[in-house]
Amino acid sequence: MGKGQISVSRVVRGVFGTATAVSLAIGLLGSEPRWFAFAGATGLIWWGWDLMLEHVFLPVGDWVIGAFAGGELDSRAPETRLTLEDNIRLLERHLEHRTSQKVDINSAIRLEEIYRTVKKDPNRASRVIQTVLDRYPDAPELERFKKADEGEQRR
């Protein structure tokens, strides 16, 4: 919403903010305890409105708009999806730091697919698989790569 636009939220904040400030000033000048109580009550309502607006009304409104308009559920959320390059770096890091056998093998298989199909780099794909084949020669998940490797060696 622009700076000069009027909204319900801005009006409510203005009314309760002004009421809080004015009643506090009257209470200080007249030393009447009822004005201090009124200032406290309007200040509490002002604070409660801001809290409810930020944590209830706006998120629910964004969700409803997203659900009916087919958009994202929270338009204010930053992009959290990893890019292809982020995925490659993450998978390569798994292989470099030798996590568990399962993670190494799954990372290598995914990297092999990315290098072979997306990056069109079959040499790099075969190097990734060869790395885990050297580490885990008896892994059943890598049997299909052993057979493919044997077939290429026969040619």
Side-chain angles (χ1 to χ4, degrees), residues 16 19-20 23 34-48:
F16 284 111
T20 301
S23 59
R34 288 184 288 180
W35 286 108
F36 288 117
F38 185 70
T42 55
L44 190 62
I45 293 170
W46 182 21
W47 174 79

Side-chain angles (χ1 to χ4, degrees), residues 3 5 12-13 17 24 28-29 40 45 51 53 71 73 90 93 100 115 122 124-126 136 147 155:
K3 237 182 175 178
Q5 294 177 335
V12 170
R13 285 177 176 168
L24 183 62
L28 287 173
L29 292 175
I45 293 170
L51 185 73
L53 184 71
L73 292 183
L90 178 69
R93 198 171 309 128
S100 68
Y115 287 145
R124 205 165 181 187
S126 62
Y136 313 108
K147 293 174 186 172
R155 288 184 198 173

Side-chain angles (χ1 to χ4, degrees), residues 93-111:
R93 198 171 309 128
H94 285 308
L95 289 175
E96 288 170 10
H97 296 295
R98 287 189 174 206
T99 52
S100 68
Q101 178 178 345
K102 184 177 181 176
V103 172
D104 284 353
I105 291 171
N106 284 334
S107 297
I109 291 171
R110 286 192 178 92
L111 266 175

